[in-house]
Amino acid sequence: MLSRSCFNLLNLDDYSVTDRARIPKLMNVPGIITDFGGGGGGDEEKGEVSPGVKNGSRRIIVANQLPVKAFCKDEKEGKKWCFEWDRYALDTLILQLKDGLSPDLEIVYVGCLKADVELNDQEEVANFLWEKFRCVPTFLSLDLINKYYHGFCKHYLWPLFHYMLPLTSSHGVRFDRSNWLAYVSANKIFADKVYEVINPDDDYVWIQDYHLMVLPTMLRKKYSRIKVGFFLHSPFPSSEIYRTLPVRDEILRALLNCDLVGFQTFDYARHFLSCCSRMLGLDYQSKRGYIGIDYFGRTVTIKILPVGIHMGQIQNVMSLPDTAKKAKELKEKYEGKIVLLGIDDMDMFKGIGLKFLAMGHLLEQSPSLRGRVVLVQITNPPRSRGNDIREVEEEVKKIASEINMKYGKPGYEPIVCINGPVSTQDKIAHYVISECVVVNAVRDGMNLVPYEYTVSRQSNNNLDKALGPGFNGERRKSMIVVSEFIGCSPSLSGAIRVNPWDIESVATGMTSGAMMNDREKELRHEKHYRYVSSHDVAYWARSFDQDLKRACEEHYHKRCWGIGLGLGFRVVALGPNFKKLSVAHIVSSYKLTNSRLILLDYDGTMLPEDKVDKAPSAEVISILNGLCSDPKNIVFIVSGRGRDTLSKWFSPCPELGLSAEHGYFTRWNKDSDWESRPVPADLDWKKVVLPIMKKYTEATDGSSIEQKESALVWHHLEADPDFGIWQAKELLDHLESVLANEPVVVKRGQHIVEVKPQDVSKGLVFQSLLASMQSKGKSPDFVLCIGDDRSDEDMFESIASNNSLPDKAEVFACTVGQKPSMAKYYLDDPAEVVKMLQGLSAASTAMQLPPKAPVHQVASVEDLSIVKNHASFV
């Protein structure tokens, strides 16, 4: 599939200062970045390092909040700010990830403080945090926080990423342009802070989550070769949901300005890839286990790896005396009860109300469990505020109250609600005494509660002593009921997966979790513990860091160019030997040669793919006739189309050579006969292929079949992009299996699957024409070959490997848009191809004109008129 990122690239030829008038106005980063920083250009080419930055690779972790706790003390001299690492918060991921990196590696944190620091104290606080913690605070005003975080992030972007659309004004918050501008402004402040500390040649930047999705564009705009990774901790919605976002292109392009983009699950990555395909026309490829998107010559790597937990932190908390004491108290409180546990944030997507309804259904359907089963629900404080949060709180209270009134009795409360925040020790203690944990979110990015629960249920000496030898014995057991709509679900193969919207299903799962035999619980616990312990946060960080370094390896092997304005900025990266074809350069070479071979593809090369009328325009016909009129030229259209179509379209060009069906048929001019390739004439394989293609056409809306004399082609350009690609892959596999013993080739091209005889290719067309010219003593000293499709790569490869051309021959193999390519030159689109050919045609016309008469020999009528007028004036 041809990537749209190949279009509208800038001219990357070397130029002097006086040539800068040729630079398009939408250029943002002047100059060209040559290999290993050897050329002039923007700030990054000079290798500028921010003040006070030491040399050596570091990791700059950018997140919405810093992993430090801030509190203010009142002293005689006034208020004094104090800070400490926020070590015991289970969600302090950006602090925990350093365990997966080298101990010698310096880590810098950029983010907001969880405190409001007055303007007069901000500089002092910033200096202190840098010196003591290597933290760079981004001080945002209260108004900006309200619009950026509460307005755009939590009330608009976060619900949309969790599949909730604001269908009415009372059902969610609709897009607000002022909140979006605040989001961009906040990201700009984060970018400015990164600029202050980064060494762009050595440091790697790792951006965390949806709060900072446009930050990569800002960083890439400043430093074209910056090494940037991004990890999305929330879900990424399907394209049907994402496309409703008014700023969808800006966010997609910003993420594509990263080198590595990480997702929790394959589903989230698949949705992102689908959005890139449908909205930006970008295709992806999977190679050696890595998924990559070609974006203006840069490969953006996609990584799929769920986040893990910090094993050591939980084990340390389990060993604390306070934890054992609390666990003992809870054991005594719920003595004789089967405890089901839920720990969730208070928000609309955690499914707390649905969980309570399932608990009510469980008690209704299983009278024997009344008085025996208790659901303990710990709710963490909401991370934002608004009507939706109040509605959820009211609903949860109402449902819990109704169930407790219906099934409760003195000494027994079926649902126990604990409003957080609660300490980490309390959470671990509840994990320890619970037979089953229930995670019932209707949509969640990852949710680490099941992982934390699994580790907490593992054997621990202090807890075993406090709870007594009979509590779980030497071997731990655990059960997990988990929603199938959260990120951790695929990795928990021993869990009971449920649809949170199906109340009966959840109730059945909770019953199974409560009543399952101990041996089964032990086996499931062991399976989960093996996975959780081997895929902890250190493993996740180490794996991401390694892939980020691998994704950035090619940075200094390509020439980079920044184009675009604002959030449309992107970097074009090209190989050192891959240049844009200059009209002036090729015309100059054209004029100095005497035997020229010009091979031109048609569709996608001289004609845009999306044009409905495929016939050549009058301008194209005129240009071709101009080229053919030069006796030094042999011009051929080399196309996959049939000979009848080409004959009809190019009948106004009598001297034009045509090669149809990828070279199966060839004629030198309008008056010559068609010649065919010496291949087996048996085309019985068509009887097998045609019915198969018809089945795929019936099943794929927008597809069609093109029947040629030598080939059959299945087109899916007008089909749904994802479904068309999927069906093309299936058709390719199907045809390859049934045609394994036939003398044919099955190939995928640009929106096509083609079956054609063996030994038929555009590369063989070049070889045949070259041999014919050489046999007549007219070996070409100028070769121009232009094409855009995979079939044209055969020509480029044949030209590159040919040794029979004269040493001084001027060879121009040029691709249109598609990269990488065997060609050494490129043009952006068919319009540029036509413009270049027009230049060659004009050069031929000029060279064939008779020389002009000297001015002093003949006076024109115009000259005589000027003399007459001058005499009258005198």
Side-chain angles (χ1 to χ4, degrees), residues 549-566:
K549 289 190 285 187
R550 184 193 59 81
C552 298
E553 286 177 350
E554 297 296 319
H555 273 205
Y556 292 95
H557 297 280
K558 292 186 176 182
R559 298 182 299 159
C560 299
W561 203 276
I563 62 173
L565 294 173

Side-chain angles (χ1 to χ4, degrees), residues 700 714 716 719-729 748:
T700 312
W714 186 76
H716 62 92
D720 177 271
D722 290 338
F723 188 53
I725 293 172
W726 183 14
Q727 289 290 76
K729 291 177 180 177
R748 275 194 69 191

Side-chain angles (χ1 to χ4, degrees), residues 81 115-126 138-142 193:
W81 282 100
D116 186 16
V117 180
E118 294 181 0
L119 184 61
N120 295 336
D121 298 330
Q122 289 180 3
E123 184 176 356
E124 181 182 352
V125 167
T138 54
F139 298 109
L140 306 181
S141 68
L142 184 60
K193 292 300 179 181

Side-chain angles (χ1 to χ4, degrees), residues 254-446:
L255 293 179
L256 291 170
N257 274 321
C258 295
D259 298 292
L260 178 67
V261 182
F263 298 92
Q264 303 273 19
T265 70
F266 173 71
D267 277 348
Y268 305 160
R270 178 168 54 86
H271 294 159
F272 175 75
L273 294 170
S274 177
C275 289
C276 291
S277 173
R278 290 175 177 272
M279 296 168 206
L280 302 180
L282 303 177
D283 199 5
Y284 67 92
Q285 290 185 335
S286 182
K287 186 177 181 181
R288 296 182 180 177
Y290 293 100
I291 301 174
I293 302 175
D294 177 62
Y295 187 59
F296 287 86
R298 292 174 49 251
T299 299
V300 182
T301 303
I302 306 301
K303 184 171 182 62
I304 303 162
L305 182 66
V307 174
I309 61 172
H310 194 289
M311 295 285 294
Q313 178 187 331
I314 295 179
Q315 291 167 346
N316 289 339
V317 175
M318 290 172 66
S319 300
L320 295 175
D322 288 348
T323 305
K325 180 181 177 182
K326 182 64 179 177
K328 184 177 181 181
E329 293 174 357
L330 291 172
K331 180 194 174 187
E332 294 171 352
K333 178 179 179 180
Y334 297 109
E335 191 71 42
K337 303 286 193 304
I338 299 172
V339 179
L340 308 179
L341 178 66
I343 299 181
D344 302 281
D345 293 343
M346 178 58 75
D347 69 54
M348 69 187 84
F349 297 108
K350 293 302 186 285
I352 300 174
L354 296 172
K355 188 190 305 182
F356 286 3
L357 290 174
M359 180 64 179
H361 188 79
L362 180 156
L363 297 174
E364 181 181 351
Q365 297 297 316
S366 305
S368 62
L369 294 178
R370 297 173 190 174
R372 295 176 57 199
V373 175
V374 176
L375 174 60
V376 179
Q377 177 64 49
I378 299 175
T379 52
N380 302 318
R383 303 192 183 191
S384 186
R385 54 183 181 270
N387 293 331
D388 53 343
I389 300 297
R390 286 192 291 272
E391 289 174 2
V392 172
E393 289 176 335
E394 291 172 1
E395 180 192 32
V396 166
K397 289 178 182 178
K398 181 182 178 182
I399 297 173
S401 177
E402 291 174 352
I403 293 174
N404 286 337
M405 287 181 63
K406 184 175 182 179
Y407 299 107
K409 58 185 179 180
Y412 173 65
E413 193 176 27
I415 299 178
V416 178
C417 294
I418 302 174
N419 295 322
V422 300
S423 67
T424 305
Q425 292 93 323
D426 280 358
K427 287 184 181 179
I428 299 297
H430 278 89
Y431 285 142
V432 169
I433 60 98
S434 300
E435 282 294 313
C436 177
V437 71
V438 183
V439 183
N440 199 50
V442 297
R443 185 73 62 178
D444 209 350
M446 185 61 191

Side-chain angles (χ1 to χ4, degrees), residues 490-504:
S491 62
L492 299 170
S493 57
I496 299 174
R497 296 193 182 97
V498 296
N499 175 3
W501 300 100
D502 186 349
I503 304 300
E504 294 181 7

Side-chain angles (χ1 to χ4, degrees), residues 689-708:
V689 174
L690 189 58
I692 295 174
M693 285 189 172
K694 284 182 177 179
K695 289 182 179 179
Y696 279 83
T697 304
E698 292 171 2
T700 312
D701 188 32
S703 64
S704 61
I705 301 173
E706 180 186 0
Q707 298 191 43
K708 302 178 183 179

